[in-house]
Amino acid sequence: MEIQNLTKEIRDRSLERMKKRKPEELSASWFQDDLLYSGKGKSIFIIIPTPGCSWALGDSGGCTMCSYISDCTLEPTDADTIFQLFKNEFKKYLDEIKESEEKNEKIAIKLFASGSFLNPKEVPKEARDNILKYLATNKAITEIIVESRPEYVKKEILGEIFEIIGDKLFEIAIGLESSNDETREEKINKGFSREDFEKAINTIKSLKNSHNIKSKAYILVKPILLSEKEAINEAIETAKYCEKIGVDRVSFTPATIHKGTVIEQMWRLGAYQPPWIWSVVKIINTVRKEIAIPSFMDTSGFGSRRGPYNCKKCNKELKHTIINSNLNQNMVEYENCDCMEEWIANTKIANLNKSQIKIKHLPLI
Ligand code: SF4
Ligand SMILES: [Zn+2]
């Protein structure tokens, strides 16, 4: 497949240039307001060091927009080191946890493995068990969120997890990116089908009677080779599809340009621009009106050269309004801005002239 060859080539070059980093340099964390299943509360985000996403390290080269691999060790890290680093990060928030407990505020924890938390090759079972055992004893943490590709969502692994965490809520976030097969396969190089995704969602649904289990889908806003208009429509369609098949929440990730990716290559050649923030507003407002499940809009990279962009006058304010709307699940209210006209003209381009952009003709830079 053209897209796989190109992704693999770009990935290999970027891996060659990458400086190997120790696990200690890669763990990170932050704490922020969030909307939990139980209502408004706080979330602790912890990045745990892993060798890297198996899909990105394999023959496929991974997904065209993803550079998580550059935050990974590229070699196995022993379970004990992973657990110790997780604990070091977690302990930074003991004061905040106490404060939230006093206010009767709920806390969620999001464990990011820069790939699949449920894949034992990325997060060894021993590390996974120890992290979950540690969290199981903390009453303030009521919701645990992890990310995984669908092929690792298996009943036996989930059974092992619930044996440890009991009745805490456990959410698995899966990067579906798009419900459109051509987009997901040919433009994102995701490597799984809608059937694979639905199988994972059905496994989660089958456990709902006995466990507090939830699912979330990530939806990529504006993959490569889509016009602004196509990108808006596909993101909305994907959210509707997710609701229809029983996903509990959706989270949109507007594309940003990360180093060592196919998307960066196309951006450098002038063949790709991240979405307008107006497109993002259009998506979230339509989705909040037309579907009932909670929807979130990631605002990372907004207003930067490599991220979603409108104009200097309105970038910042819209970003804050979107962050607030995530917490309240309301519509994004905005004032018109001069840049809107240019956006409207942009969305009138219904289809890219695809004959001009041929993956196989992209020079490697
Ligand atoms: S998006 Fe997910 S599956 Fe794709 S390469 Fe990145 S971590 Fe791996
Ligand atoms: Zn503007």
Side-chain angles (χ1 to χ4, degrees), residues 276 278 310-315 318 336-340:
W276 284 76
W278 291 128
N310 275 0
C311 81
K312 277 194 182 140
K313 267 199 277 172
C314 66
N315 282 340
L318 277 170
N336 288 358
C337 180
D338 297 342
C339 67
M340 244 180 164

Side-chain angles (χ1 to χ4, degrees), residues 7 11 52-57 60-69 113-116 122 147-151 175 177 188-190 192 218:
T7 314
R11 188 75 69 197
C53 167
S54 297
W55 176 243
L57 288 173
S60 74
C63 305
T64 53
M65 72 301 185
C66 180
S67 69
Y68 281 167
I69 204 82
S114 305
S116 296
E122 296 175 47
E147 299 173 325
S148 180
R149 285 177 59 87
E151 59 264 38
E177 322 299 357
I188 304 178
N189 194 28
K190 201 73 206 181
F192 64 76
Y218 290 124

Side-chain angles (χ1 to χ4, degrees), residues 44 90 97 107-109 135 138-144 168:
I44 303 172
F90 186 85
I97 293 174
I107 303 177
I109 184 155
L135 294 173
N138 194 313
K139 279 207 191 93
I141 309 289
T142 53
E143 302 180 13
I144 301 169
K168 283 193 198 293

Side-chain angles (χ1 to χ4, degrees), residues 104-293:
N104 219 357
E105 202 174 40
K106 301 278 192 305
I107 303 177
I109 184 155
K110 299 191 175 175
L111 298 166
F112 292 152
S114 305
S116 296
F117 184 84
L118 303 180
N119 176 5
K121 283 198 181 130
E122 296 175 47
V123 179
K125 182 178 180 310
E126 196 189 330
R128 183 179 82 211
D129 286 354
N130 286 337
I131 291 171
L132 295 174
K133 276 181 199 157
Y134 186 85
L135 294 173
T137 60
N138 194 313
K139 279 207 191 93
I141 309 289
T142 53
E143 302 180 13
I144 301 169
I145 288 102
V146 303
E147 299 173 325
S148 180
R149 285 177 59 87
E151 59 264 38
Y152 307 116
V153 179
K154 295 194 183 119
K155 263 194 182 160
E156 51 176 299
I157 291 188
L158 296 173
E160 289 166 10
I161 289 173
F162 278 104
E163 225 167 82
I164 298 173
I165 65 165
D167 57 5
K168 283 193 198 293
L169 185 148
F170 190 73
E171 182 189 67
I172 304 157
I174 305 174
L176 169 68
E177 322 299 357
S178 173
S179 57
N180 182 301
D181 290 330
E182 194 197 332
T183 300
R184 198 177 51 263
E185 282 158 30
E186 307 292 332
K187 298 167 185 168
I188 304 178
N189 194 28
K190 201 73 206 181
F192 64 76
S193 65
R194 250 190 319 192
E195 286 67 38
D196 299 326
F197 179 72
E198 286 172 19
K199 200 169 146 209
I201 297 300
N202 287 337
T203 302
I204 294 171
K205 277 159 71 180
S206 73
L207 294 171
K208 282 194 168 184
N209 279 341
S210 45
H211 299 295
N212 200 355
I213 187 164
K214 303 280 184 190
S215 61
K216 179 163 71 200
Y218 290 124
I219 300 171
L220 177 66
V221 177
K222 205 171 172 194
I224 54 169
L225 303 169
L226 283 188
S227 71
E228 198 76 17
K229 187 179 180 158
E230 288 171 321
I232 296 170
N233 292 343
E234 276 200 13
I236 295 169
E237 281 314 307
T238 304
K240 288 182 182 168
Y241 161 79
C242 287
E243 180 179 53
K244 200 173 96 202
I245 66 158
V247 174
D248 293 294
R249 313 196 283 192
V250 291
S251 182
F252 294 95
T253 41
T256 49
I257 310 291
H258 292 287
K259 289 217 163 78
T261 59
V262 174
I263 213 170
E264 185 191 43
Q265 178 103 339
M266 297 197 72
W267 173 71
R268 283 186 188 280
L269 293 165
Y272 179 81
Q273 264 307 312
W276 284 76
I277 299 178
W278 291 128
S279 300
V280 162
V281 171
K282 167 98 182 157
I283 291 166
I284 201 71
N285 280 355
T286 310
V287 163
R288 293 220 172 113
K289 202 161 61 202
E290 295 185 9
I291 69 171
I293 55 172

